[in-house]
Amino acid sequence: MDYKVLIFSGNFQYGVVDDFIEGIVDGIGEKYQIVQVNLSDKSNLASILTASLFDNVKFIVSVNALGSDLIPHFPVMNKIPFFSLLLDHPLHSMTRFYGTNMRLLCVDKDHVNFARLVGMNAEFFPHAARVKSNSYLDKSFESKDGILFPASFFNVDAIKEKIIKFFPQGFELLNDGIVENINDFLLKLGFMDNRRTPMIQLNKNSIGVLIQCDLYLRARRRLQIIQDFAQCGVSLNIIGSGWSASTKLDTHRYYEPEPFNELIQRMVRSRFVLHHSPGFNLGLHERITYPLLHRTMVLAAGNDYLKEQFKPGSGILFYDEIDKVESLIKSVDDERYSENVTRGSEIVARNYMWSKSVSKHIQ
């Protein structure tokens, strides 16, 4: 019997997630027939979504719990292993996956803990990368220039208004000086702690507010980093949507968002890619894996997990204080740079490729 693998996808901005899905397809290889269904393409979806679609399916794969809404209509899906890669905190997909038999693949260990807390089958699936073409690779470090920071603008004030309207007490807790990311906030609310009863119950409305809290924390920290770099006179090449004349700082250069394959080429041309963790303190991010794989160093505030995965001299230049960044960067000459990106790309190629992750976790 010839088995097939069913992959549910959608329309994703800039092709970032599409690249991840292609990496997963690479990992599945030629062992199974791949059937990919774009759930965002409504034109012929009705003719595709029939009972026969699930015949001889070995397993199902999706991103961010896409396809979970089909389970009530096709009960056979309950008998087929259904893996979903969550690229963000589980809160962002919880209204989709909660109560299903999906097997969640989480890119951060704290995400795994939260998903299991709400009764889901979850495991750690580190963020990975793939090389589409060797033409991206550039071994001439003299031509590399600047610090690239992929970051879109989020309106902190608009997000703040939503939180205050529905959860004013929560907004006070967000600003008590201890909370830096959504994991800290959930702990503050009593989640992730068996000794306490959470301050709020999880339902559709509260999950929506918690997502806004997550966005607020990310946006606040992102703007602070950009301001701190400007105050230290370190220029960033910021690429992303939403920036206007009133939100741009003169120290930095701003670029409109571009397709992911073009962004990778921009990474290759950059001396460093700045990584700002969106609360993934026990996991990786594409701002780490893709630059390193393509032989560009990463600039990042250190945390224990990252430092354990990438020892000194392994492609990530860690900083503790932003006012020391300029001198740190100047200390990396071409020889040291070459040694760093060689080790860094080897680590990613050995441990963090989508294709290899699939063989370990999805079968």
Side-chain angles (χ1 to χ4, degrees), residues 6 8 49 53-54 60 66-82 101-102:
L6 186 58
F8 289 129
L49 294 177
L53 177 67
F54 301 95
I60 303 169
L66 287 176
S68 59
D69 57 331
L70 299 177
I71 296 175
H73 304 285
F74 299 97
V76 68
M77 293 176 68
N78 288 306
K79 300 178 182 180
I80 303 172
F82 191 165
N101 66 342
M102 301 179 89

Side-chain angles (χ1 to χ4, degrees), residues 21-35:
I21 292 174
E22 287 181 32
I24 291 172
V25 170
D26 291 343
I28 295 171
E30 299 179 357
K31 187 176 180 180
Y32 303 109
Q33 176 191 356
I34 304 295
V35 178

Side-chain angles (χ1 to χ4, degrees), residues 211-271:
I211 290 173
Q212 293 300 313
C213 292
D214 185 23
L215 296 178
Y216 172 81
L217 290 167
R218 296 187 196 193
R220 184 181 68 182
R221 181 60 183 147
R222 180 176 296 181
L223 291 176
Q224 187 62 56
I225 287 174
I226 290 172
Q227 291 171 3
D228 289 346
F229 270 84
Q231 289 176 359
C232 294
V234 179
S235 177
L236 301 174
N237 296 325
I238 300 172
I239 181 166
S241 61
W243 298 100
S244 64
S246 62
T247 58
K248 294 178 180 178
L249 300 180
D250 292 339
T251 306
H252 307 310
R253 292 185 290 271
Y254 295 81
Y255 301 90
E256 290 298 315
E258 57 193 12
F260 192 52
N261 62 330
E262 295 179 19
L263 179 61
I264 291 176
Q265 295 181 51
R266 191 181 289 271
M267 289 179 181
V268 170
R269 297 193 300 269
S270 300
R271 185 78 172 179

Side-chain angles (χ1 to χ4, degrees), residues 31-46:
K31 187 176 180 180
Y32 303 109
Q33 176 191 356
I34 304 295
V35 178
Q36 193 163 334
V37 178
N38 184 341
L39 297 177
S40 298
D41 182 4
K42 308 297 183 182
S43 58
N44 58 351
L45 203 56

